[in-house]
Amino acid sequence: MTARKVLVVEDERTIADAVAARLRAEGFEVEIAGDGPAAVEAARRTQPDAIVLDVMLPGFDGLEVCRRIQAERAVPVLMLTARDDETDLLIGLAVGADDYLTKPFSMRELSARVHALLRRATRNSAPAAPAASEMLRLGDLEINLAERRVLRAGVEAQLTPTEFDLLVHLAGRPRTVLPRERLLAEVWGWADASGTRTVDSHIKGLRRKLGADLIRTVHGVGYALEVQK
Ligand code: CA
């Protein structure tokens, strides 16, 4: 198996070098880009398996980089943000980032997130399930598992790969409250409960795209998918 490629986009050289060193030590092939235009060019040229992308960049920012790269080819993106800014996070998820990490972060955490991204990407490209189980219908919600498409009341919603996985998870057990920690472990593949805000952000994305009434919050516990009549 050839080494998997990760593109690291970060203008702060010490951070870029530390991230690259850690990923190389784990057997990844790593390329570094230091600004927006260089990142888009490198993604086109090297076709990475995953991208670690800082939001604050010279040229144009990480959100624009993500938008441009995702428009050409779907690739898992881990966004790095300087502060826990909800707006940045929501825009990041809207332009196709799958996960985010707030600075400062540990290299152990970064590595865990990159591995989880790649695990999900591999799972998503696995052969589709048999035809009988390809459609999931719950009230006015229609999920096509094979084509990874979602319609609500006949209107298609554009979900990111992670939003789709999260929705399928909730839809698999409608009206059941699923704890955030469990969603984090099952959808993201990691058990570190400090990442439960990642779950919250993606739930916000699903509500924005599919309607606020679809998912119920059970405060202090988790979320449940409500089936509409
Ligand atoms: Ca930066």
Side-chain angles (χ1 to χ4, degrees):
M1 192 175 150
T2 54
R4 290 197 285 182
K5 282 180 274 185
V6 180
L7 173 62
V8 175
V9 185
E10 167 65 276
D11 58 312
E12 285 166 71
R13 198 66 210 191
T14 45
I15 298 178
D17 286 344
V19 169
R22 172 66 186 239
L23 294 176
R24 284 189 184 117
E26 295 187 13
F28 292 106
E29 209 175 280
V30 181
E31 175 118 1
I32 298 175
D35 62 47
V40 174
E41 186 278 323
R44 214 169 267 156
R45 178 169 43 80
T46 65
Q47 304 274 298
D49 298 290
I51 300 178
V52 177
L53 178 60
D54 187 37
V55 173
M56 299 298 288
L57 293 170
F60 41 82
D61 69 14
L63 301 173
E64 184 58 27
V65 170
C66 193
R67 203 175 283 127
R68 294 195 191 189
I69 289 172
Q70 300 286 7
E72 291 180 13
R73 167 179 163 265
V75 52
V77 171
L78 172 65
M79 203 82 112
L80 304 179
T81 61
R83 60 219 140 91
D84 221 348
D85 185 327
E86 192 81 347
T87 314
D88 268 7
L89 301 182
L90 289 176
I91 297 171
L93 298 173
V95 296
D98 295 281
D99 198 1
Y100 64 84
L101 205 50
T102 305
K103 293 176 177 176
F105 51 84
S106 72
M107 288 302 146
R108 183 198 60 78
E109 191 169 18
L110 175 112
S111 153
R113 300 290 183 96
V114 169
H115 281 285
L117 267 189
L118 289 167
R119 263 201 308 279
R120 271 182 285 149
T122 308
R123 198 175 63 208
N124 292 346
S125 60
S133 60
E134 278 176 6
M135 291 297 290
L136 206 54
R137 282 195 184 84
L138 295 159
D140 61 0
L141 185 70
E142 206 173 289
I143 306 174
N144 186 322
L145 297 168
E147 297 174 10
R148 296 181 66 83
R149 293 172 68 199
V150 177
L151 287 89
R152 181 146 198 226
V155 179
E156 181 159 11
Q158 302 297 327
L159 303 186
T160 68
T162 304
E163 285 169 351
F164 183 87
D165 289 345
L166 178 58
L167 179 68
V168 169
H169 236 80
L170 290 164
R173 278 149 294 179
R175 293 197 191 89
T176 308
V177 181
L178 300 177
R180 296 147 92 221
E181 292 76 13
R182 178 167 164 193
L183 290 168
L184 192 64
E186 292 180 355
V187 178
W188 278 263
W190 32 278
D192 179 357
S194 70
T196 48
R197 283 203 58 196
T198 301
V199 179
D200 300 339
S201 299
H202 282 80
I203 291 284
K204 282 201 182 104
L206 285 176
R207 283 179 172 147
R208 190 164 42 78
K209 294 174 183 179
L210 291 167
D213 58 330
L214 189 67
I215 298 163
R216 183 165 59 96
T217 301
V218 181
H219 286 289
V221 184
Y223 297 101
L225 188 111
E226 294 301 307
V227 179
Q228 312 301 316
K229 301 283 180 317

